[in-house]
Amino acid sequence: MKSDFINELGILFNQNNSISDDDYNKLNVKRGLRNKNGTGVLVGLTKIGSVQGYTVDKKGKKIPEEGKLYYRGIAIDKLIKQFGKEKSFSFEKTMFLLLFGKVPSNFELKMFISTLKEYRHLPDEFIEDFILRKPSADIMNQLQRAVLCLYTLDSNPDDVDLSNLIDQSLNLIAKFPSLLVYCYQACNYKHFNESLIIHNPVEEYSIAENILHMLRIDNKFTPLEAEILDLILVIHAEHGGGNNSTFTSHVVSSTRTDTYSSISASIGSLKGPMHGGANSMVTQMIEDMKKNTNPYDEAKLKEYLKGIFEKQLFDKKGRIYGMGHAVYTVSDPRAVILKKRARELAREKDALEEFELFSNVEKFTKEIGKELKGKDFEICANVDLYSGFVYKLLNIPPNIFTPLFALSRIASWNAHRMEQILVDKKLIRPAYKAIDEDGNVFL
C-alpha cells in the first residue's frame, strides 16, 4: 500500500535526520538566526523601517520596554496622527514613504495615485486564464500563482535596473487589490458554490475604499469602515528587514531573480501560521472559547486561558494567539493604535461586549503569565489580537485576513528588494555544518 510505504519512508527519514539540541549548542548554531538571549542575528542594514521592543544590557540580558515602530525614522503613532488629519489615502502616502524615503507632497501624491490608476487594469483574458480557471482552495496560494503569472504581461520582466524595478513595483501595487478580491471570489465560486460577482475598482476611491467596494455585493461602506481598513493597512505596512517575509524578499532578491518570483516567495512566507497567518488563529481560538466555555464570564475565561498556557486546550501548543511577539515585550504600538479604533468601530456596530472579550484576553493573559512563569514574565498583545476582530466587524471573511496582510506589505517588500539589489548587492549565503550520526563535523 502507498500509505504504508510513505510511513516507512517517514521512519527512515527520522532515523537518518535527527539532530540533538546538544549538537546545536556545542557548535553554537544561531537557530532561527537568533542569539541565545532571543535577539536577532545582525545580517544587514536598512533605512526603511525599524522595530524596537527592548534594550540589551552589558551582560546580554534583554530589558523590556515600550514598543516602538518607525517608518523611515518616523514613529508610527506620529505618522498616523499626521496622516489622520486628511482621513483618506493614508496607505498610499505610507507606500510612497516606504519606497522613496519621504512623505509625499500633494503633487507627488497626486502623481503617485494617478500612476497607480494607470496600472490598475487587469486584462480580461488574464482574469479568465490565470484567476478563474482552477482556483486554489487557499487564497494565498492563488495570489502567489497570480503574481507569478504577471511575469507574462511584462515586456521586460528580468531587468533589475532601478527604473524598471520602480515600474514593476508600482504595477504590482496597483494590481494587487484586484488580484486579492478576484482570487477570493474565484475560490468561493469554485470551492464553496457562492455566486461569482466581480466588481471593478472605482476611479476616485482609495485602495481601502476599493477593497470594501469590490468585496461587498451592495458596494456600500461607511466612512469609518474605510478609515479603519486604511489604518490597518498602514500599521501592517512595514516591520523592519528581519521579519520572515521581508527577509525572504532580501534573500531571494540577492540572487537577482525577477520581481514576481521575489514577491511570490514573500507571499509564501507570510502564509505561515507562525507569521502572517496568526490573525486567523486568533479567530479560531476565540470561536473555540465560545464553543467550550462562556468567555464572557471572567472566571471561566481565566480558567480557559490557563488551560491554553498549560497545553491542555485549543491546539495544545501553549500559545495564546494574539499575545506575545518576537521583538515587542511591554507593548506593540500597532496593537495600541488599533485597539482605540476597534473600540470606536465596535460602538458603531453594537459590538462592545465582544470588544471587551478581546480586551480581557489581553489583560488576563498578562496576569496568568506572571502567575505561572514569574513576576518578570512580560507578554503583550500583538496587532493580530485586534486585527481579526476588526476584520470581523468589517464583514471581511477570515480567509482573506492574511491576503490583506500581504496587500499591506507589497510596497515594503519591493522597497527592501530594491535596497538589497542596489545597495547591499551581496548574495545571501549563510553556512550550515555537516555532521555525522555522533554529532562530529565533517571536514
Side-chain angles (χ1 to χ4, degrees):
M1 293 288 290
K2 178 181 176 182
S3 60
D4 292 336
F5 180 58
I6 295 296
N7 288 335
E8 290 177 10
L9 291 177
I11 293 170
L12 186 63
F13 180 88
N14 283 329
Q15 288 174 345
N16 292 301
N17 289 276
S18 62
I19 301 175
S20 71
D21 289 342
D22 288 341
D23 290 333
Y24 282 102
N25 294 332
K26 179 175 65 177
L27 295 169
N28 194 29
V29 177
K30 309 288 187 178
R31 300 176 75 176
L33 289 179
R34 306 282 183 91
N35 297 307
K36 286 185 177 181
N37 63 0
T39 60
V41 174
L42 182 62
V43 297
L45 303 174
T46 182
K47 286 190 171 182
I48 299 167
S50 174
V51 184
Q52 297 176 19
Y54 54 81
T55 55
V56 180
D57 65 18
K58 294 179 179 179
K59 297 181 179 180
K61 182 180 178 181
K62 290 169 61 175
I63 309 299
E65 63 177 25
E66 297 289 344
K68 298 180 179 66
L69 173 61
Y70 297 93
Y71 291 2
R72 294 286 185 172
I74 304 174
I76 186 66
D77 55 337
K78 292 183 179 178
L79 196 68
I80 295 296
K81 186 176 181 179
Q82 179 180 344
F83 287 167
K85 295 175 182 177
E86 291 88 12
K87 295 186 179 297
S88 64
F89 294 100
S90 294
F91 182 48
E92 284 81 352
K93 297 170 191 172
T94 300
M95 290 192 293
F96 188 98
L97 169 66
L98 294 174
L99 284 164
F100 306 113
K102 67 181 291 284
V103 174
S105 64
N106 290 335
F107 175 76
E108 288 168 333
L109 179 64
K110 181 179 179 180
M111 291 301 297
F112 183 64
I113 292 173
S114 176
T115 303
L116 295 183
K117 288 178 181 178
E118 288 182 25
Y119 283 124
R120 185 182 287 167
H121 177 69
L122 283 167
D124 292 341
E125 61 271 19
F126 182 92
I127 298 173
E128 175 67 28
D129 293 341
F130 297 131
I131 297 179
L132 299 183
R133 288 186 180 179
K134 295 185 178 180
S136 170
D138 186 280
I139 298 167
M140 289 293 279
N141 286 102
Q142 180 84 348
L143 274 173
Q144 281 187 279
R145 187 174 71 184
V147 167
L148 284 173
C149 289
L150 287 177
Y151 181 99
T152 65
L153 300 182
D154 193 329
S155 60
N156 193 23
D158 295 301
D159 184 359
V160 293
D161 285 342
L162 178 58
S163 59
N164 197 55
L165 291 175
I166 293 173
D167 187 67
Q168 289 175 332
S169 298
L170 300 183
N171 180 47
L172 268 169
I173 289 167
K175 288 181 169 58
F176 205 86
S178 295
L179 285 180
L180 187 160
V181 177
Y182 297 165
C183 285
Y184 160 74
Q185 291 164 332
C187 171
N188 281 9
Y189 174 71
K190 177 70 175 179
H191 297 283
F192 303 106
N193 298 315
E194 294 188 10
S195 299
L196 180 62
I197 302 175
I198 292 181
H199 299 300
N200 292 321
V202 174
E203 182 79 8
E204 66 271 16
Y205 280 177
S206 68
I207 288 175
E209 289 170 327
N210 263 319
I211 289 291
L212 294 173
H213 162 79
M214 290 189 290
L215 275 178
R216 296 181 175 179
I217 294 175
D218 63 4
N219 307 127
K220 296 179 180 179
F221 54 88
T222 69
L224 179 60
E225 288 178 320
E227 283 178 36
I228 291 182
L229 181 55
D230 190 55
L231 171 68
I232 288 181
L233 294 176
V234 170
I235 64 178
H236 279 93
E238 161 64 14
H239 218 235
N243 74 81
N244 198 284
S245 57
T246 302
F247 185 58
T248 296
S249 178
H250 278 276
V251 171
V252 177
S253 296
S254 75
T255 71
R256 302 301 189 271
T257 191
D258 65 277
T259 294
Y260 308 98
S261 294
S262 172
I263 298 303
S264 177
S266 291
I267 293 172
S269 165
L270 192 71
K271 179 191 172 188
M274 292 184 70
H275 190 13
N279 51 20
S280 295
M281 295 301 294
V282 174
T283 301
Q284 293 177 39
M285 180 184 72
I286 296 294
E287 291 306 311
D288 188 75
M289 285 182 190
K290 294 177 180 178
K291 181 180 178 181
N292 293 290
T293 189
N294 176 13
Y296 301 101
D297 181 312
E298 293 188 1
K300 291 181 178 179
L301 176 58
K302 289 180 180 180
E303 183 180 349
Y304 183 93
L305 293 173
K306 186 175 180 181
I308 294 182
F309 261 115
E310 296 173 341
K311 300 184 180 181
Q312 296 175 355
L313 296 176
F314 190 41
D315 60 3
K316 299 181 180 180
K317 293 182 179 179
R319 294 185 62 190
I320 296 179
Y321 292 94
M323 296 297 298
H325 192 269
V327 178
Y328 298 127
T329 52
V330 177
S331 64
D332 177 343
R334 304 167 302 169
V336 173
I337 291 167
L338 187 58
K339 183 178 181 180
K340 293 178 182 177
R341 297 309 302 271
R343 183 189 293 275
E344 187 178 344
L345 184 62
R347 186 177 295 110
E348 180 181 276
K349 301 288 186 178
D350 194 25
L352 284 174
E353 184 182 37
E354 189 79 354
F355 172 82
E356 290 302 325
L357 169 58
F358 283 82
S359 183
N360 282 337
V361 167
E362 177 184 1
K363 181 173 68 173
F364 297 147
T365 297
K366 293 178 179 181
E367 293 177 4
I368 296 168
K370 289 185 180 295
E371 290 173 10
L372 297 178
K373 299 177 181 291
K375 63 179 182 179
D376 292 333
F377 178 75
E378 291 286 353
I379 192 170
C380 67
N382 61 54
V383 70
D384 293 318
L385 182 64
Y386 293 101
S387 64
F389 170 65
V390 170
Y391 285 146
K392 182 180 179 181
L393 293 183
L394 293 174
N395 293 318
I396 290 174
N399 58 345
I400 59 171
F401 288 3
T402 310
L404 281 171
F405 199 163
L407 169 62
S408 71
R409 285 285 166 90
I410 194 74
S412 172
W413 288 338
N414 277 288
H416 282 273
R417 168 174 167 75
M418 290 190 287
E419 192 175 58
Q420 181 64 43
I421 291 174
L422 301 168
V423 179
D424 193 324
K425 301 182 181 180
K426 198 79 171 176
L427 175 67
I428 297 176
R429 207 289 189 191
Y432 275 70
K433 289 185 182 293
I435 60 173
D436 62 21
E437 59 184 17
D438 296 319
N440 299 313
V441 177
F442 288 121
L443 297 177

